[in-house]
Amino acid sequence: DAGVIQSPRHEVTEMGQEVTLRCKPISGHNSLFWYRQTMMRGLELLIYFNNNVPIDDSGMPEDRFSAKMPNASFSTLKIQPSEPRDSAVYFCASSRGKGVQEKLFFGSGTQLSVL
Amino acid sequence: TQLLEQSPQFLSIQEGENLTVYCNSSSVFSSLQWYRQEPGEGPVLLVTVVTGGEVKKLKRLTFQFGDARKDSSLHITAAQPGDTGLYLCAGVGDTGANSKLTFGKGITLSVRP
């Protein structure tokens, strides 16, 4: 079975550029989560969707960040404009149920470097 | 905000040794999960504990949830190089407003052959 698929695996961009990260959740999963991981702050929840609807976006750092889930099999996280402090590993995860206590299946992440 | 403190932050041991690491909070959790993350990959769920005092075993790994559901420990017996990785605990808040999964910063374990 295919797991959660993220692209690209690595992204290097210059400050001010737009960055789009992509995620395909596991088929049949109802919830999708975007996390950011840094050494300083660990793993932080940015936003999560249930049945394609954003439920909690309180972790989105600021207006430069936006996320969409146009259908059950695809989500994007966009940063515009990007800044060096956005450099981190961004993970997408999906789960079967609605609740946050459900088992999360993580993708391999996108390593973002903003120069 | 419910904080999870994990300790020690880094641990380097010899193959065959036993170890215990901790996940502590001042908040009560309805459930707590442990994940292991290898370099270049996402975290993978190891176990979920739900009941205060609960003990779960996964081969050489023993997980315990504190009686008050505020803390948890992970004990590894006879560690092997394959146990190397980042161990993350994550708790789900006990009240509606705090019902989100919060991760600790993790414990980096290195097991030397």
Side-chain angles (χ1 to χ4, degrees):
Chain A
D1 289 340
V4 175
I5 299 172
Q6 290 187 247
S7 64
R9 284 299 307 268
H10 303 276
E11 177 80 41
V12 180
T13 190
E14 292 186 344
M15 182 173 64
Q17 296 297 306
E18 177 180 296
V19 174
T20 299
L21 311 181
R22 297 173 176 79
C23 175
K24 176 179 169 57
I26 293 173
S27 177
H29 281 193
N30 297 319
S31 294
L32 182 141
F33 304 77
W34 281 102
Y35 282 88
R36 177 171 67 177
Q37 187 175 40
T38 62
M39 287 289 290
M40 289 295 294
R41 301 174 69 91
L43 205 56
E44 302 174 282
L45 177 64
L46 301 177
I47 185 171
Y48 86 90
F49 297 83
N50 180 253
N51 291 327
N52 313 338
V53 175
I55 302 300
D56 183 354
D57 65 354
S58 60
M60 295 286 262
E62 49 199 270
D63 291 345
R64 297 185 297 106
F65 285 69
S66 63
K68 294 182 180 180
M69 191 164 186
N71 57 61
S73 59
F74 184 66
S75 177
T76 60
L77 178 67
K78 186 178 292 187
I79 307 173
Q80 166 63 18
S82 59
E83 296 182 4
R85 61 190 167 124
D86 301 330
S87 297
V89 182
Y90 290 81
F91 286 102
C92 176
S94 68
S95 68
R96 283 196 180 88
K98 179 180 181 179
V100 294
Q101 73 280 6
E102 301 285 336
K103 177 179 179 179
L104 294 180
F105 293 80
F106 283 83
S108 297
T110 295
Q111 173 81 60
L112 174 65
S113 296
V114 183
L115 306 177
Chain B
T1 303
Q2 297 179 296
L3 295 177
L4 278 165
E5 299 288 337
Q6 292 192 248
S7 62
Q9 208 173 344
F10 301 96
L11 189 57
S12 179
I13 62 171
Q14 199 72 32
E15 181 177 2
E17 293 183 10
N18 302 331
L19 66 118
T20 302
V21 296
Y22 302 92
C23 174
N24 295 307
S25 176
S26 58
S27 303
V28 176
F29 294 98
S30 61
S31 65
L32 194 138
Q33 303 173 352
W34 282 91
Y35 291 79
R36 181 169 65 212
Q37 183 178 13
E38 298 186 6
E41 297 298 328
V44 175
L45 181 68
L46 297 174
V47 77
T48 301
V49 286
V50 179
T51 307
E54 181 177 3
V55 176
K56 280 193 173 178
K57 292 193 174 184
L58 186 66
K59 296 182 181 178
R60 295 174 293 98
L61 277 61
T62 302
F63 304 84
Q64 183 161 10
F65 202 11
D67 291 340
R69 292 184 289 131
K70 293 183 179 182
D71 52 78
S72 181
S73 64
L74 160 58
H75 180 80
I76 302 179
T77 303
Q80 298 178 1
D83 296 326
T84 293
L86 178 69
Y87 287 81
L88 296 158
C89 66
V92 178
D94 202 30
T95 59
N98 290 321
S99 292
K100 56 173 60 177
L101 190 63
T102 302
F103 280 84
K105 290 186 180 179
I107 295 160
T108 300
L109 172 65
S110 174
V111 183
R112 303 184 303 274

